[in-house]
Amino acid sequence: MTQSATHSSVTSPPVAGTAAAVRNASQVHIPLWRQFYALTKPRVVQLIVFCALIGMLLAAPGLPPAVTVLAATAGIWLVAAAAAAFNCVVEQHIDARMSRTAWRPTARGQLGNRQTLLFSALLCAAGSALLWAFVNPLTMVLTFATFVGYAVIYTVVLKPMTPQNIVIGGASGAMPPVLGWAAVRGDVGPEALMLCLIIFLWTPPHFWALALYRTEDYRRAGLPMLPVTHGSEFTRLQVLLYSLVLLAATLLPWLYGMSGLTYLVSALVLGGLFIAYAWKLWRDYSDAQARKTFRFSILYLSLLFAALLLDHYLSPWIAL
């Protein structure tokens, strides 16, 4: 699902070398249930579910049916977690060469491919069944298509082949609000597509900020990430340009009449801050600034969508 997910660290302490990373990580005893839980990349899935929930709440003038929200949330979480676990199988050898990911159970060899694939299949089947039975077939089909887009098309095909992997593959990562909207409305409206566009344009500057201070990790792993293939300066310029385009895209909900003044002010302030981070990253690079930009990008998306939701429920009262 969302690509940024593959780039969030979870619990392991950083280690310097790749071989040492695997050896040191393998010596740490982790309960089996925590190993399986780690495969689901919980921080990433939390952001996915949050964006899907925003789509559900925005799709209804009031509160959507509780059963639909609960079933859709659980179903989307299960399928997203399945995609994350599948990703860990495909990228286990790459993960083992990167200090950032060498702690993962599949990279350490503490969970085998058969175990992990079975776990992924069970999660995906359970989530799909839940969506089909208690939400609607459209949401199930779109969620499964997102699984394929992230776990197969992005991870297997795009990521090892092109530095534009995160741009092209960002379409699957941008789908959560569409899934949430479809769960409540049973269709895909222009409002949902605008939310999808926002995440699609947010993903490259978010990920490339991380890739800038993890360039050596990606170079060792043999992945053609943009800082590896085109250098730091070019990548930093792309982060700045995307942040400008992103600001323009975040104005669409207001221009379309989907949101009001509360959201507009929030989008302008948050967008201005994102551009300021990107400008400083471009003009005066440091790994510390790249880390700050990456962390702010996560906060940015959360606050932007929270503002959209707040505006959705405040607007009728303000209009009165």
Side-chain angles (χ1 to χ4, degrees), residues 6-7 9 13 55 66 73 100 114 125 129 156 206 253 261 274 288 297 302:
T6 62
H7 319 302
S9 61
T73 299
R100 183 178 60 86
R114 183 176 299 178
V156 178
H206 159 74
L261 188 61
F274 202 161
S297 69
S302 300

Side-chain angles (χ1 to χ4, degrees), residues 67-253:
V67 173
T68 300
V69 171
L70 291 174
T73 299
I76 292 168
W77 185 93
L78 287 167
V79 178
F86 186 89
N87 171 270
C88 287
V89 174
V90 175
E91 296 196 329
Q92 60 184 298
H93 300 299
I94 293 173
D95 288 343
R97 294 197 296 267
M98 298 176 66
S99 59
R100 183 178 60 86
T101 54
W103 63 269
R104 288 177 179 164
T106 42
R108 293 197 309 264
Q110 294 188 353
L111 286 179
N113 290 349
R114 183 176 299 178
Q115 288 173 292
T116 306
L117 288 174
L118 178 60
F119 177 64
S120 175
L122 289 174
L123 290 180
C124 187
S128 297
L130 195 60
L131 293 172
W132 181 278
F134 295 99
V135 185
N136 56 60
L138 176 62
T139 305
M140 190 280 289
V141 171
L142 290 175
T143 305
F144 183 75
T146 302
F147 172 94
V148 174
Y150 171 69
V152 180
I153 297 175
Y154 168 72
T155 302
V156 178
V157 179
L158 294 173
K159 192 171 181 179
M161 289 183 61
T162 170
Q164 291 299 309
N165 45 30
I166 200 67
V167 178
I168 304 169
S172 62
M175 285 295 289
V178 177
L179 306 180
W181 186 277
V184 173
R185 289 283 188 97
D187 60 22
V188 177
E191 298 92 340
L193 294 177
M194 282 186 282
L195 300 180
C196 181
L197 177 63
I198 289 171
I199 299 179
F200 178 78
L201 294 172
W202 165 86
T203 301
H206 159 74
F207 168 71
W208 286 331
L210 170 80
L212 279 165
Y213 68 87
R214 292 291 190 180
T215 301
E216 291 308 311
D217 246 3
Y218 288 113
R219 183 175 285 114
R220 282 196 302 267
L223 293 174
M225 297 305 177
L226 196 64
V228 175
T229 60
H230 289 69
S232 173
E233 185 174 357
F234 180 83
T235 304
R236 281 149 39 206
L237 177 60
Q238 296 305 302
V239 171
L240 176 61
L241 294 177
Y242 266 93
S243 68
L244 293 169
V245 176
L246 175 61
L247 174 60
T250 60
L251 301 182
L252 290 176

Side-chain angles (χ1 to χ4, degrees), residues 202 246 250 270-271 274 296-305:
W202 165 86
L246 175 61
T250 60
L270 290 169
F274 202 161
F296 175 77
S297 69
I298 299 173
L299 180 65
Y300 165 87
L301 187 66
S302 300
L303 291 178
L304 183 77
F305 275 27

